[in-house]
Amino acid sequence: MNMNIGAPRGTVDLLPEDTRKWQYVEEKIKSICEAYHYEEIRTPMFEHTEIFQRSVGDTTDIVQKEMYTFNDRGGRSLTLRPEGTASVARAYVQNKLYGDPNQPHKLFYFMELFRYERPQQGRMRQLHQFGVEVLGARNPAIDVEVIDLAMTIYRTLGLRSLRLVINSLGDKESRKAYREALIKHFTPHIDSLCKDCQLRLEQNPLRVLDCKKDADHPAMKDAPSILDFLNDQSRKYFEEVLELLEEIGIDYDVDPNLVRGLDYYNHTAFEIMSEAEGFGAITTLAGGGRYDGLIEELGGPDTPGIGFGMGIERLLLALEAENIDLPIDQSLDCYLVTMGDVPQKVIFKLVHELRQNGIQIDRDYQGRKVKAQFKAANRLHAKYVLVLGEEELSKQVINVKHMETGNQKEVKLSELVQTLKEKL
RNA sequence: GCGGUCGUGGCGAAGUGGUUAACGCACCGGAUUGUGGCUCCGGCAGGCGUGGGUUCAAAUCCCACCGGUCGCCCCA
């Protein structure tokens, strides 16, 4: 490429060798969603910028430095969606789904998201997420159902080196008490904390806890734990979540420092990580949590919600890291080999008719010799090669060769469709 | 946004200042007038990410930019 017209940084083309895998994974996920009775929602790729500012939070990295924001010709500030939950919540409110007697709404989505970041493997500027959102239910069973769904997807695809990390951020009251305790605890140490944390302590003290730079700071060790600040209701809810996880045999680690980056989370927060060797520094495969209050923030009634986002790129990387080959069928039913002076019109019509009858077939377009046509058929994993030469044509037959066994026999052209249908 | 590292035919990979830039894989053709493998022979294909600079001479040295990759921040 010597012209400066490659794909923009942080974006990639998915070629057939990739899309085969993507399709397989997407279909697998959809079929699991059916079992759990989740239905698909699709929302616009961009939203009013305010949607993300209000829901994700003005102080978060996503909003502060990662959004693709632009003004349209009408002067509106729009943003390519950097995450899925805000859009789905907006759609729920706008379409008044809270008035639907069927509650909760259990939704899933496949979305492309956009975040302006320095790209690495597993971190793209245009990325793809599968996610679910359950709106209208505050029930530990739903929290665990959602986690179970994510784990089931990973396990069904073959992943084994998984780790579920879970925490509770409590309700508004618990969170507020904890926030104050954190400020009180860290303020005396503020000068020895890293620059980021000094700012965090002011804006979002919970995030001081998962700072890696200050992880060894002495004040970190005896910092108050959120779990000690949960009020009775929040604590009970969290305990029920953990019990249900145990009930269905999902192992977990409680990590009181898992706070998640986005403002809208409360109560249950979780991440699923890959522990596969060679997965690199990025280990988070999926993350999510409960966001009671978000719907109200966006102008709807007080409605609880929970969901997660799962990175498809990272899922594929995790599969690679665990050396899992997806069972993708790449075979071709038939390949037509022609030779000699067979008219192009005859070849074209034959292929057309077979396809009209639902038979998968491809042919040579490069003017290759017979031997090369066979090699091509082999490369394409053709099950049958149909050989049509002048001799066959004059007898109105065609030679059907089974590539695996090498057996071949002549079939009348008039009986070809029927014969192939029986064989395939 | 910060730091490290890398960038040679479709892919992999030599070359680290000096004649027409190795080699392997793949692809095409022939040996084998109509049949997949192997072997042998032949062929196609690159001026070295882009743009400047140093030099008699640069893929090789310097600078900038672009892109990949790894790590930081943060997350999917």
Side-chain angles (χ1 to χ4, degrees):
Chain A
M1 181 74 61
N2 53 14
M3 288 171 289
N4 188 23
I5 52 170
R9 185 160 211 207
T11 67
V12 290
D13 300 311
L14 296 176
L15 305 178
E17 61 179 302
D18 306 307
T19 55
R20 281 196 288 268
K21 292 180 191 164
W22 283 68
Q23 286 172 2
Y24 177 85
V25 164
E26 286 167 5
E27 277 160 29
K28 211 54 163 188
I29 291 174
K30 279 183 190 166
S31 75
I32 292 169
C33 283
E34 274 185 41
Y36 282 72
H37 193 231
Y38 282 63
E39 296 185 293
E40 184 173 8
I41 182 168
R42 302 190 189 193
T43 67
M45 211 178 285
F46 52 85
E47 296 278 351
H48 290 288
T49 302
E50 195 188 355
I51 293 287
F52 302 115
Q53 289 171 333
R54 288 175 68 97
S55 55
V56 176
D58 272 325
T59 65
T60 60
D61 279 6
I62 286 184
V63 171
Q64 281 189 340
K65 54 184 207 191
E66 294 179 2
M67 296 206 302
Y68 277 92
T69 298
F70 60 96
N71 289 319
D72 72 4
R73 288 170 186 265
R76 289 170 278 259
S77 178
L78 302 175
T79 295
L80 300 181
R81 60 186 173 203
E83 60 106 50
T85 301
S87 301
V88 173
R90 194 227 80 231
Y92 182 85
V93 172
Q94 183 173 341
N95 294 286
K96 300 184 167 56
L97 296 182
Y98 48 76
D100 188 322
N102 286 318
Q103 299 292 342
H105 269 75
K106 305 205 297 181
L107 305 165
F108 78 82
Y109 60 79
F110 284 94
M111 288 183 182
E112 52 294 278
L113 308 179
F114 305 85
R115 295 185 193 171
Y116 190 86
E117 291 193 278
R118 180 103 180 233
Q120 299 177 21
Q121 197 165 57
R123 174 192 288 162
M124 297 283 111
R125 287 185 174 180
Q126 177 176 354
L127 59 119
H128 296 78
Q129 266 189 16
F130 160 78
V132 309
E133 311 292 351
V134 180
L135 294 157
R138 183 184 288 109
N139 183 333
I142 279 291
D143 296 44
V144 177
E145 175 175 305
V146 158
I147 294 169
D148 177 39
L149 173 55
M151 294 299 282
T152 298
I153 288 168
Y154 289 134
R155 287 180 181 154
T156 301
L157 289 168
L159 294 180
R160 291 293 172 266
S161 302
L162 298 168
R163 178 165 168 243
L164 169 65
V165 180
I166 191 167
N167 188 27
S168 174
L169 305 175
D171 59 16
K172 221 180 272 176
E173 184 191 312
S174 307
R175 198 167 162 168
K176 195 177 166 212
Y178 181 52
R179 187 193 146 95
E180 277 160 15
L182 277 179
I183 293 174
K184 198 172 156 196
H185 173 79
F186 281 112
T187 298
H189 308 282
I190 190 155
D191 292 335
S192 56
L193 290 171
C194 78
K195 246 186 228 157
D196 288 334
C197 283
Q198 294 178 2
L199 199 64
R200 285 180 188 131
L201 191 56
E202 229 174 276
Q203 300 184 333
N204 196 344
L206 269 65
R207 292 182 56 213
V208 172
L209 292 172
D210 61 1
C211 175
K212 282 168 192 161
K213 228 178 267 174
D214 285 331
D216 297 327
H217 192 285
M220 215 52 100
K221 234 180 282 173
D222 56 346
S225 165
I226 178 75
L227 298 176
D228 295 330
F229 285 80
L230 298 182
N231 56 28
D232 288 348
Q233 208 185 354
S234 297
R235 180 194 318 282
K236 186 160 174 289
Y237 193 95
F238 189 44
E239 281 166 3
E240 282 178 44
V241 167
L242 298 182
E243 279 168 23
L244 285 176
L245 282 172
E246 283 159 27
E247 193 62 28
I248 57 173
I250 294 178
D251 295 334
Y252 59 83
D253 293 330
V254 173
D255 179 357
N257 288 344
L258 175 75
V259 299
R260 305 285 304 152
L262 316 185
D263 280 0
Y264 52 62
Y265 286 120
N266 46 47
H267 289 289
T268 310
F270 65 94
E271 281 186 22
I272 299 171
M273 340 264 274
S274 169
E275 297 189 302
E277 299 244 349
F279 197 67
I282 292 170
T283 56
T284 305
L285 296 177
R290 179 160 280 285
Y291 45 85
D292 300 351
L294 176 59
I295 296 295
E296 206 171 6
E297 175 69 30
L298 292 175
D302 179 17
T303 306
I306 183 168
F308 68 78
M310 168 185 292
I312 303 295
E313 283 87 354
R314 291 187 185 181
L315 166 55
L316 265 344
L317 286 171
L319 289 167
E320 250 173 70
E322 292 199 33
N323 291 313
I324 293 162
D325 287 322
L326 301 174
I328 291 165
D329 178 20
Q330 284 187 59
S331 68
L332 172 67
D333 287 342
C334 304
Y335 191 88
L336 176 68
V337 169
T338 57
M339 58 185 115
D341 203 12
V342 177
Q344 200 45 231
K345 284 181 183 171
V346 171
I347 295 170
F348 195 77
K349 192 173 178 194
L350 173 63
V351 168
H352 170 76
E353 282 177 355
L354 288 170
R355 289 169 177 166
Q356 292 300 304
N357 281 283
I359 289 162
Q360 184 189 36
I361 183 164
D362 210 345
R363 49 162 287 198
D364 173 66
Y365 299 95
Q366 312 290 15
R368 289 198 255 248
K369 299 290 197 293
V370 173
K371 182 178 176 130
Q373 289 186 57
F374 265 92
K375 281 183 78 168
N378 220 29
R379 271 200 301 273
L380 297 171
H381 309 290
K383 295 193 191 92
Y384 291 94
V385 164
L386 314 182
V387 184
L388 183 65
E390 289 169 64
E391 279 177 37
E392 286 85 357
L393 189 56
S394 66
K395 293 195 299 187
Q396 284 298 296
V397 298
I398 193 163
N399 197 351
V400 176
K401 177 169 184 172
H402 184 65
M403 292 298 275
E404 202 172 309
T405 61
N407 296 332
Q408 50 186 319
K409 67 171 185 179
E410 283 190 349
V411 174
K412 286 183 190 162
L413 277 174
S414 59
E415 294 170 3
L416 182 59
V417 168
Q418 190 54 36
T419 304
L420 289 175
K421 278 191 174 174
E422 283 164 14
K423 287 178 180 292
L424 292 168

